[in-house]
Amino acid sequence: MDDNLEALSRVIENTKDIAAVVGFVDRKDSILYNAAAIIQNCKMIGVYHKIFLPNYGVFDEYRYFRAGTETPVYRIEDINVGVNICEYISYPGGPAKYQAIAGAEIILNIHDSQYHMGKAHLR
């Protein structure tokens, strides 16, 4: 956990004159969140906590993380940006819908793809 936060700190320090969205594990007290840091010009301007936590196949997020509850919109330069995590960008009632309603002009979605046997063949 500490290494994760130290790595995020180093990324933040190296974002002069740019914006970045970086996945990390956020910790509030003893609660962990699958999160995205919204960074602009060496400052973290916000953190998005993943709302829908999958629990199927290779996913077991309920074991480790608590679900987020907010769908914020961030101002980056002159653009309202919604940030969210994973395949839930396509859910009709997902975070992207509420971010768009709140004024997001762009939705940035970060998504990883866990490895499992046969994945290359499946794709």
Side-chain angles (χ1 to χ4, degrees), residues 3 8 14 17 26 42 66 79 89 95 98 105 108 120 123:
D3 290 346
L8 177 62
N14 288 284
D17 299 325
D26 194 16
C42 300
R66 180 168 296 168
I79 302 170
I89 190 169
Y98 296 102
E105 300 166 87
L108 293 176
R123 286 186 172 174

Side-chain angles (χ1 to χ4, degrees), residues 1-122:
M1 188 64 213
D2 292 337
D3 290 346
N4 153 80
L5 295 174
E6 175 59 31
L8 177 62
S9 179
R10 287 194 311 271
V11 170
I12 292 168
E13 292 170 2
N14 288 284
T15 58
K16 187 175 189 296
D17 299 325
I18 65 169
V21 176
V22 178
F24 76 110
V25 177
D26 194 16
R27 176 176 56 202
K28 302 278 186 203
D29 299 318
S30 61
I31 299 168
L32 301 180
Y33 296 91
N34 185 343
I38 298 79
I39 305 163
Q40 183 177 18
N41 201 24
C42 300
K43 293 180 185 162
M44 186 159 54
I45 63 171
V47 175
Y48 172 81
H49 292 154
K50 185 175 178 182
I51 293 174
F52 298 115
L53 302 176
N55 195 34
Y56 60 88
V58 296
F59 297 101
D60 192 10
E61 290 191 46
Y62 279 116
R63 178 183 292 186
Y64 304 104
F65 302 117
R66 180 168 296 168
T69 59
E70 299 178 5
T71 55
V73 174
Y74 306 96
R75 189 83 174 158
I76 299 175
E77 296 295 324
D78 293 328
I79 302 170
N80 293 324
V81 179
V83 173
N84 55 60
I85 301 171
C86 213
E87 74 265 21
Y88 304 105
I89 190 169
S90 61
Y91 277 33
K97 172 184 176 180
Y98 296 102
Q99 290 167 328
I101 290 169
E105 300 166 87
I106 293 175
I107 303 291
L108 293 176
N109 176 267
I110 62 173
H111 189 281
D112 66 345
S113 181
Q114 286 79 10
Y115 173 81
H116 60 85
M117 293 296 291
K119 187 167 210 165
H121 178 73
L122 178 64

